[in-house]
Amino acid sequence: MIHIDKDTCKGCGICIAVCPKSVLEFSKELNQKGVNYPEVVNEKKCILCENCMIYCPDFAVVVKKDGKK
Amino acid sequence: MVNPVTHNLKKYFRGEINYTTCPGCGNGIVAQAILWAIDDSGIDFDNYAFVSGIGCSGWIPSPAFNTDVLHVTHGRAIAFATGLKLAAPNMKIIVTAGDGDTSAIGGNHFIHACRRNIDLTMICVNNQIYGMTGGQIAPTTPYLSKTTTTPYGSVERPFDLSKIAIAAGATFVARWTTFQARQLRKTIAKAILHPGFSFVEIISQCPVQYGKVLKKRNDAVAMLMDYKERSINLKKARELQKSELKDKIIVGEFVEERNVPELTQEINRLREEALQKCQR
């Protein structure tokens, strides 16, 4: 499961670029900071590589494997 | 959502995670690599102390991390950390400094810490420019870069911080870019456990100030992909000619030396010897 804290996001787009399976895309709406945040569009394609979490400079993306904590 | 999902690293923070860096700044990636390495090390977070200097990189541990954090004067992070290590030798001390802290105002502290081989972990976030003050030329800015203070291009040759550390005698030297975040995490974990001065240089993107120089303003993704293309591993780089390595960033773990006298142990030994002489 990918959880995105949309109001912490500053919209740099690194998570979208480093995703090997194009799971994420920019949203059409703006967040509190006035930027387009990433949204999960193809959750089924996600391989839980955690790239989006590791590269997020604002700790806004959390990847958790289902069934584990 | 009933239970909001919290980040795995939230436990290391004082309150909410709220980094005030520019969008796409590499500081957050470095902060995450440090915390993941600490998570991997299995040592209690209270046994760590962070010392940071002035500059954007000073705000990585301060005031966010929920442990002892010293935010000290410009360039003197290593000087404070040396004193802290000698006073509390059992603590794991991590210094986060920028390239200005390391090579410009704190250059002498840096080379002497390498020479003394004191057990510190130094994490140098090298964004190749003075980011916080408005994009002036730093000692690490590449040749012919057009910054705010060198509008016709810099004619000075940049410092290679890892080479300085090796030459000054540091016993663990590594360099990665922010694109190699996974390798960085492993290297920092190694550096924390290394007995002696360990220096980890991280080439980090500054999309606002250095992005302006590269004509990639506010485009952190382009800068990261640039690092991906330009970085070359040490083993591969050894086989190539010097002309082929132009504009490349050589990454990897350069030096790992053990069995070198370490300052705090040496001082302890000296103290015991002196005590024995007094008792005689």
Side-chain angles (χ1 to χ4, degrees), chain B residues 202-216:
Chain B
I202 302 147
I203 310 284
S204 165
Q205 76 271 21
C206 174
V208 176
Q209 301 294 0
Y210 195 59
K212 207 157 59 181
V213 176
L214 294 176
K215 306 227 165 28
K216 286 170 186 160

Side-chain angles (χ1 to χ4, degrees), chain B:
Chain B
M1 209 179 288
V2 185
N3 291 319
V5 180
T6 51
H7 204 283
N8 293 7
L9 301 172
K10 174 86 172 51
K11 57 190 168 184
Y12 298 121
F13 280 85
R14 206 169 283 182
E16 290 299 311
I17 306 174
N18 186 14
Y19 269 108
T20 50
T21 50
C22 309
C25 177
N27 273 5
I29 301 176
V30 177
Q32 218 178 113
I34 294 171
L35 289 176
W36 279 119
I38 286 170
D39 206 49
D40 294 343
S41 73
I43 302 167
D44 188 32
F45 198 46
D46 285 342
N47 292 334
Y48 285 94
F50 288 85
V51 184
S52 68
I54 300 298
C56 297
S57 58
W59 296 101
I60 292 177
S62 151
F65 291 0
N66 192 12
T67 182
D68 297 331
V69 179
L70 283 101
H71 200 152
V72 299
T73 45
H74 193 16
R76 312 292 175 244
I78 297 174
F80 278 83
T82 305
L84 183 60
K85 183 69 193 178
L86 292 175
N90 292 329
M91 282 193 104
K92 292 275 176 198
I93 291 153
I94 299 179
V95 182
T96 58
D99 50 329
D101 248 1
T102 309
S103 59
I105 188 166
N108 255 319
H109 294 295
F110 168 54
I111 55 173
H112 286 282
C114 293
R115 172 178 70 86
R116 286 173 179 147
N117 192 33
I118 180 160
D119 186 12
L120 301 174
T121 306
M122 175 150 187
I123 290 165
C124 173
V125 186
N126 181 357
N127 57 6
Q128 302 174 306
I129 203 154
Y130 287 145
M132 192 179 257
T133 49
Q136 292 87 353
I137 182 177
T140 45
T141 308
Y143 184 59
L144 296 179
S145 299
K146 287 182 181 174
T147 66
T148 47
T149 42
T150 55
Y152 302 106
S154 140
V155 288
E156 297 169 12
R157 288 161 65 214
F159 262 144
D160 187 329
L161 294 179
S162 292
K163 274 188 186 166
I164 293 176
I166 295 167
T171 49
F172 185 96
V173 181
R175 170 164 54 202
W176 296 106
T177 71
T178 40
F179 187 78
Q180 289 99 12
R182 284 168 198 268
Q183 290 93 322
L184 179 62
R185 170 181 169 176
K186 280 184 191 161
T187 297
I188 293 175
K190 245 185 182 177
I192 287 169
L193 297 176
H194 178 79
F197 189 80
S198 36
F199 179 71
V200 183
E201 182 189 358
I202 302 147
I203 310 284
S204 165
Q205 76 271 21
C206 174
V208 176
Q209 301 294 0
Y210 195 59
K212 207 157 59 181
V213 176
L214 294 176
K215 306 227 165 28
K216 286 170 186 160
R217 187 157 188 187
N218 292 352
D219 197 347
V221 174
M223 290 184 82
L224 263 184
M225 293 306 149
D226 184 45
Y227 291 150
K228 182 188 177 182
E229 277 167 26
R230 277 169 57 212
S231 52
I232 180 163
N233 201 290
L234 183 64
K235 281 175 195 162
K236 266 190 188 169
R238 278 190 186 130
E239 293 162 9
L240 295 175
Q241 296 293 321
K242 210 175 176 185
S243 58
E244 288 174 296
L245 291 173
K246 209 185 161 199
D247 294 330
K248 294 273 185 198
I249 304 167
I250 302 170
V251 295
E253 288 172 7
F254 299 108
V255 174
E256 193 180 355
E257 245 179 287
R258 280 169 193 268
N259 305 324
V260 180
E262 197 267 326
L263 187 70
T264 42
Q265 283 173 1
E266 289 293 295
I267 284 180
N268 271 339
R269 184 178 58 82
L270 212 67
R271 192 181 286 150
E272 274 168 26
E273 277 177 14
L275 271 174
Q276 277 174 0
K277 270 185 192 167
C278 287
Q279 284 163 356
R280 242 179 249 159

